[in-house]
């Protein structure tokens, strides 16, 4: 969307007509103050210089502070070298003097829009290379989130990422690191719900030798491990109250004190906290420190639930099919159009994580090739999430849970084999760290240990 800002209705009308004819969405504002409320969807801003109240130069300054990638073109009848230099210093993309040729102005605006898109695409490609996976998000809510993430990433502030379970808060946290100046420094994750207060304290801030039973040697904590880089605090709303005060000191002073040590260590760590809780409500309820909340939420990013970004479901499903097709050695795995339609119409209370697990299950149970709607219903055992407006009654002639082929593994055996593989892979990729493996699998550590015993994986993991 191109935002036009001018107190002259004639100029707004003319530019709107020309840009609309060229296929652009256009919004208008008659003042700088009005324009600030419409910046979220803008791909370029065209503003007059002389306006009542906030003039064009002041507006350019506000835009640059909110989104440095958003190009602003200054249009004025008061053309002079002095104004042009001032506009460029404020961050203007270009300067246009009245009277102007309307087609030339439209061409300059289009170049500005394309230049921004290229910058955004290049930044996304760089982040994808750092993360080692594609960033899927073409829907408007996700575009807004990704643009906000890109703006915040370069500013070394503490960020609170909030959203429902399974929406991808951790992915946004990783993206903040990947697009920051700390991208080549350590990225360390800690699940605040995984351990009791005593162990959480030692894991975060480290401990001295003999600090507690079993502490046979000193060990650096996650803050020390993340020095110079980023520390992601997942499920920060679950952090024990006793540890919240020490976290506040680390954020305020950049200082940590290992458990059992009188030594104070300086650390340089950017903290990104993620939660599915309403921390503001927890503050009112007295279960979360107010001063810590404001330290964590210098900037707050909200990840939209999947029901608000259904336009992304086809691309997400195809990406997961490609990913698990490669992982399971199936080659190309395609999704039948009828299945994709059903996925779009399905309610996903578990959000992106539930969609990913569904595609992983379908891929694990398939022999490659095309996965269809019948496979979806069979794999879910008739318990697929309800699709809005979909008749879920199956053809009586088509059993929901077909018997296994002669001599082949049963569905239960195939699912267990798939689950065993996921657990083994999580332990392998985390170096046997049970807490981290449990976090990646979205289960508690106790559940993970039960699965390890069930599948004979052994107690080789670390805490």
């Amino acid at each position: 969307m191109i935002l036009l800002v001018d107190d002259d209705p004639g100029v707004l009308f003319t530019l709107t007509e020309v840009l609309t004819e060229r296929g652009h969405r256009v919004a208008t504002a008659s003042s700088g103050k009005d324009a600030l409320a419409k910046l979220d969807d803008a791909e370029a801003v065209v503003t007059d210089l002389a306006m009542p109240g906030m003039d064009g130069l002041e507006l350019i300054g506000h835009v640059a502070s909110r989104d440095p990638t958003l190009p602003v073109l200054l249009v004025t009848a008061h053309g002079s070298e002095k104004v042009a230099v001032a506009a460029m210093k404020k961050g203007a993309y270009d300067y246009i003097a009245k009277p102007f040729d309307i087609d030339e102005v439209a061409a300059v605006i289009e170049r500005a829009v394309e230049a921004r898109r290229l910058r955004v695409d290049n930044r996304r490609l760089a982040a994808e290379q750092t993360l080692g996976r594609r960033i899927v998000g073409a829907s408007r809510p996700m575009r807004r989130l990704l643009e906000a993430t890109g703006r915040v990433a370069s500013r070394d502030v503490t960020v609170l990422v909030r959203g429902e379970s399974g929406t991808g808060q951790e992915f946004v946290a990783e993206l903040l690191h990947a697009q920051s100046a700390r991208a080549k420094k350590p990225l360390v994750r800690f699940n605040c719900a995984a351990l009791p207060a005593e162990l959480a304290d030692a894991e975060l801030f480290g401990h001295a030798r003999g600090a507690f039973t079993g502490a046979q040697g000193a060990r650096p904590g996650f803050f020390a491990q993340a020095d110079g880089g980023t520390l992601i605090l997942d499920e920060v709303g679950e952090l024990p109250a006793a540890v919240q005060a020490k976290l506040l000191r680390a954020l305020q002073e950049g200082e940590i004190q290992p458990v059992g040590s009188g030594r104070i260590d300086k650390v340089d760590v950017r903290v990104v906290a993620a939660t599915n809780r309403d921390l503001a409500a927890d503050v009112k309820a007295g279960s979360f420190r107010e001063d810590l909340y404001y330290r964590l939420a210098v900037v707050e990013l909200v990840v939209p639930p999947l029901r608000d970004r259904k336009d992304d479901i086809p691309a997400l499903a195809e990406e997961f099919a490609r990913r698990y097709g490669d992982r399971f050695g199936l080659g190309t795995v395609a999704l039948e159009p009828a299945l994709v339609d059903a996925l779009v119409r399905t309610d996903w209370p578990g959000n992106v994580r539930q969609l990913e697990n569904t595609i992983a299950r379908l891929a694990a149970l398939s022999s490659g090739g095309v996965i269809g709607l019948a496979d979806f219903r069979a794999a879910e055992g008739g318990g697929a999430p309800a699709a809005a407006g979909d008749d879920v009654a199956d053809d009586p002639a088509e059993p929901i849970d077909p018997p296994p082929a002669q001599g082949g593994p049963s569905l239960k055996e195939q699912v267990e084999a798939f689950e065993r593989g996921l657990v083994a892979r999580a332990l392998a990729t985390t170096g046997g760290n049970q807490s981290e493996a449990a976090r990646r699998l979205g289960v508690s550590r106790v559940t993970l240990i039960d699965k390890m015993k069930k599948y004979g994986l052994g107690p080789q993991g670390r805490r």
Side-chain angles (χ1 to χ4, degrees):
M1 179 266 286
I2 298 170
L3 178 60
L4 306 177
V5 190
D6 202 308
D7 59 338
D8 184 340
V11 173
L12 291 179
F13 176 80
T14 302
L15 285 174
T16 298
E17 286 290 303
V18 172
L19 292 171
T20 301
E21 286 178 2
R22 295 171 77 120
H24 298 285
R25 289 190 307 117
V26 178
T28 62
S30 58
S31 68
K33 183 179 179 181
D34 185 23
L36 292 178
K38 300 180 179 181
L39 286 179
D40 284 347
D41 286 339
E43 295 178 292
V45 178
V46 183
T47 180
D48 190 22
L49 171 63
M51 295 183 294
M54 183 187 301
D55 66 13
L57 288 178
E58 188 178 353
L59 176 59
I60 290 171
H62 281 289
V63 172
S65 65
R66 283 178 55 170
D67 184 358
T69 70
L70 184 60
V72 184
L73 289 87
L74 187 68
V75 181
T76 176
H78 307 285
S80 70
E81 290 295 327
K82 185 176 181 180
V83 174
V85 170
M88 295 302 180
K89 285 183 177 180
K90 287 278 190 178
Y93 174 83
D94 208 342
Y95 174 88
I96 303 168
K98 295 179 183 177
F100 51 75
D101 180 279
I102 192 67
D103 290 325
E104 288 182 4
V105 171
V108 172
I109 294 171
E110 288 170 346
R111 284 200 299 272
V113 170
E114 183 60 24
R116 181 175 192 257
R117 286 175 180 166
L118 287 173
R119 285 196 299 271
V120 171
D121 288 345
N122 287 337
R123 189 166 58 193
R124 178 180 289 203
L125 286 172
E128 287 179 342
Q129 289 178 342
T130 302
L131 294 172
R133 51 181 154 159
R134 282 186 59 215
I135 299 172
V136 179
S139 63
R140 181 173 294 183
M142 278 305 293
R143 287 204 312 271
R144 288 180 178 175
L145 175 63
L146 292 173
E147 288 172 3
T149 301
R151 291 196 298 271
V152 174
S154 61
R155 299 163 189 174
D156 209 29
V157 296
T158 305
V159 181
L160 177 64
V161 183
R162 185 166 57 83
E164 296 178 8
S165 293
T167 51
Q169 303 101 306
E170 182 183 322
F171 174 72
V172 174
E174 292 175 356
L175 189 56
L176 285 167
H177 174 76
Q179 294 182 312
S180 74
R182 298 175 181 261
K184 295 183 179 179
K185 299 293 184 177
L187 172 63
V188 179
R189 305 170 184 82
F190 177 69
N191 188 331
C192 300
L195 299 170
E198 297 79 9
L199 291 178
D201 193 344
E203 288 289 313
L204 271 177
F205 306 109
H207 61 78
R209 180 180 180 183
F212 49 83
T213 303
Q216 298 179 355
R219 182 173 180 271
F222 286 163
F223 260 96
Q225 294 174 39
D227 193 25
T230 303
L231 174 61
I232 298 175
L233 298 178
D234 194 21
E235 298 186 59
V236 71
E238 307 295 333
L239 194 67
V243 186
Q244 291 182 25
K246 293 190 70 172
L247 175 58
L248 179 63
R249 178 179 180 179
L251 294 174
Q252 286 179 328
E253 310 296 336
E255 296 178 344
I256 59 171
Q257 182 175 8
V259 176
S261 169
R263 185 182 75 251
I264 302 295
D265 296 330
K266 280 283 187 181
V267 289
D268 173 25
V269 175
R270 182 188 194 177
V271 171
V272 178
T275 183
N276 58 8
R277 300 174 62 98
D278 183 348
L279 291 189
D282 289 347
V283 168
K284 291 182 180 179
S287 60
F288 199 85
R289 291 182 64 116
E290 183 177 22
D291 46 5
L292 177 58
Y293 169 69
Y294 288 118
R295 281 286 175 180
L296 291 173
V298 175
V299 174
E300 186 169 341
L301 299 176
V302 180
V303 186
L306 194 53
R307 62 180 174 274
D308 290 344
R309 46 176 298 212
K310 283 185 174 280
D311 289 349
D312 289 331
I313 289 178
L316 283 167
E318 290 170 5
E319 170 63 16
F320 294 144
R322 182 201 61 76
R323 184 183 304 173
Y324 287 100
D326 291 343
R327 184 174 297 180
F328 299 153
L330 299 172
T332 301
V333 174
L335 303 179
E336 186 181 83
L339 170 57
V340 175
D341 290 343
L343 295 176
V344 172
R345 289 183 285 113
T346 295
D347 291 326
W348 298 99
N351 293 294
V352 176
R353 183 184 297 144
Q354 184 185 8
L355 174 63
E356 180 177 4
N357 288 345
T358 296
I359 301 300
R361 180 162 56 252
L362 289 172
L365 296 174
S366 76
S367 56
V370 178
I371 300 175
L373 183 57
D375 300 310
F376 176 47
R377 289 176 173 171
E380 297 295 328
D390 189 26
D391 181 2
V392 296
D394 291 279
D395 185 340
E398 181 183 334
I400 290 175
D401 191 5
Q406 185 77 21
S410 68
L411 176 61
K412 181 174 182 294
E413 289 169 336
Q414 292 181 65
V415 172
E416 287 183 346
F418 171 55
E419 185 176 63
R420 185 187 189 282
L422 288 179
V423 173
R425 193 175 298 108
L427 289 168
T429 56
T430 60
N433 186 315
Q434 294 174 2
S435 297
E436 176 65 11
R439 185 193 61 75
R440 293 191 180 191
L441 291 169
V443 300
S444 69
R445 187 167 173 271
V446 173
T447 299
L448 175 66
I449 292 173
D450 288 342
K451 298 291 184 185
M452 291 168 64
K453 291 177 180 177
K454 177 179 178 180
Y455 298 124
L457 295 174
Q460 72 273 29
R462 303 193 312 273
R463 285 180 177 271

